[in-house]
Amino acid sequence: MTINNNTPNIRFNGFSGDWVEKKLGDIANFSKGSGYSKSDLISSGHPIILYGRLYTKYQTVIDKVDTFVNENKNSIKSQGNEIIVPASGETAEDIARASAIKQRGVILGGDLNIVELSNAYSSTFTALKISNGQSKSELSKKAQGKSVVHIRNSDLQSLLLDFPNLEEQTAIGNFFQHIDETIALSRSKHKKTKTLKKSFLNKMFPQAGKNQPEIRLKGFSEDWVEKRLEEVVEIVGGGTPDTTNPEFWDGEIDWYSPTEIGKKVYADKSVKTITELGLQKSSAQILPAHKTILFTSRAGIGDMAILRNEAATNQGFQSFIAKDIDVYFLYSMGHLLKEYALEKASGSTFLEISKKQLSVIEILIPSNTEEQTAIGNFFKQLDDTLALQAKQLKALENLKEALLAKMFV
């Protein structure tokens, strides 16, 4: 199929012909929201949209509003099918976005540009067009300001957009609205699982002054026992080979820095590697796979990852090699270790927790290793679910980006 600049790469069946470029100012009327700020928000009252929502909780279509105020008599209210664009924000990228309002009677707060399209144009399609691709880039360039940037209605009026006929606009708008709803559902499920995990972490480890958790897995009843961390793990620091000696670098040994830790359960592959000679000429040590938890001891204190392949670290770690404790159980109680480390950390240039300070941490653990393993497996299942949900959410977001690039001119 031959493609030109005025037709998209992917098109729904039944639609053909070039898209037509229009200046937004020729097909819409413009106004501004009025009054109200975050300090006016209350738990219930009249629904309102404030400008910050548009770049902190971006939605192509806003059909439900969960923020409320006491209504003033001069309030500006939606009539349904308007487009709103934030008039100010922290960055041009943040505010170069638009949302379509489907609900009538919603108060539109100050610092909102309001765009009312003529009947031949879809608000959902136009909001998508403004918020993505070349149109977003052009609108970002029009934003003015330093500490606070602004987009004015005059900037929107001069924006050039390509449109198919209304029927095709509606089909595309509905399609991407469905994708957004699917993404929102996926994000909500992921958030609920994270909340569920946080609740279980709170209830499946004993609270201060207690020797049993609030929630117990079936078949276990003994009191948990107190141990110093050094009794159940070997604590190992790291080191850095001379960075000016090329013989020490780009070898076969994974070598981690703290910035690589904290976003994933497992550490699989480091950004930098060192040679055997580099290992020998530094205080770095080889840490065993599957038995080691990397624990950051500087700056971002308390970030953790389970080592999947043997590796070394720089001096920003005090890593734990399990001796008499289930690795995933220890990883799961990482929030408690982090709290302690942050409480005891010290330093003038940056906060740091030492091996000596970590060694004497007193932790409560089940005396029965089977219970440790059961708890570790329970949280591993939750973490696996979270990882799968995050992967699915990312795939949906990537699919949307790819389709936006192919289905718009």
Side-chain angles (χ1 to χ4, degrees), residues 129-253:
K129 187 75 173 145
I130 292 171
S131 302
N132 296 281
Q134 184 63 27
S135 301
K136 180 178 177 65
S137 177
E138 289 300 317
L139 190 57
S140 296
K141 293 175 184 177
K142 296 176 184 291
Q144 301 293 320
K146 293 182 179 178
S147 58
V148 177
V149 293
H150 302 278
I151 288 177
R152 299 173 176 82
N153 274 326
S154 57
D155 301 318
L156 291 165
Q157 288 169 3
S158 61
L159 202 60
L160 295 174
L161 306 172
D162 293 288
F163 291 92
N165 63 38
L166 180 58
E167 186 180 359
E168 188 173 1
Q169 292 176 44
T170 302
I172 293 170
N174 289 343
F175 176 74
F176 279 100
Q177 185 175 354
H178 175 70
I179 290 179
D180 281 346
E181 289 168 354
T182 304
I183 289 173
L185 180 61
S186 179
R187 187 175 290 121
S188 177
K189 287 174 61 178
H190 187 56
K191 184 178 179 181
K192 286 178 181 178
T193 306
K194 289 173 72 173
T195 301
L196 182 66
K197 179 187 174 182
K198 185 177 180 180
S199 176
F200 277 125
L201 285 171
N202 185 54
K203 295 180 183 297
M204 291 182 69
F205 289 89
Q207 298 297 307
K210 305 287 186 181
N211 55 22
Q212 290 198 15
E214 184 178 340
I215 293 178
R216 204 80 182 264
L217 295 176
K218 188 176 180 179
F220 302 105
S221 58
E222 299 98 333
D223 287 350
W224 287 27
V225 295
E226 192 170 77
K227 298 274 188 177
R228 290 193 309 277
L229 187 59
E230 64 183 355
E231 295 181 76
V232 295
V233 303
E234 179 186 357
I235 302 175
V236 180
T240 301
D242 183 351
T243 56
T244 65
N245 191 332
E247 294 184 357
F248 297 166
W249 297 92
D250 299 323
E252 299 298 320
I253 301 171

Side-chain angles (χ1 to χ4, degrees), residues 96-110:
R97 60 175 72 247
S99 295
I101 309 300
K102 297 298 184 182
Q103 187 176 340
R104 292 176 61 89
V106 177
I107 295 174
L108 303 177

Side-chain angles (χ1 to χ4, degrees), residues 16-37:
S16 60
D18 288 351
W19 290 21
V20 178
E21 185 180 80
K22 294 287 185 179
K23 184 184 290 187
L24 191 56
D26 293 338
I27 61 172
N29 295 316
F30 299 81
S31 58
K32 290 288 296 291
S34 177
Y36 301 102
S37 66

Side-chain angles (χ1 to χ4, degrees), residues 1 11-12 24 30 44 60-61 90 104 110 139 196 205 211 244-246 299 319 326 349 365 392 409:
M1 181 174 67
R11 210 152 185 189
F12 288 119
L24 191 56
F30 299 81
S44 62
T60 300
V61 175
E90 294 182 1
R104 292 176 61 89
L139 190 57
L196 182 66
F205 289 89
N211 55 22
T244 65
N245 191 332
S319 297
D326 181 84
T349 306
I365 63 173
Q392 291 170 338
V409 172

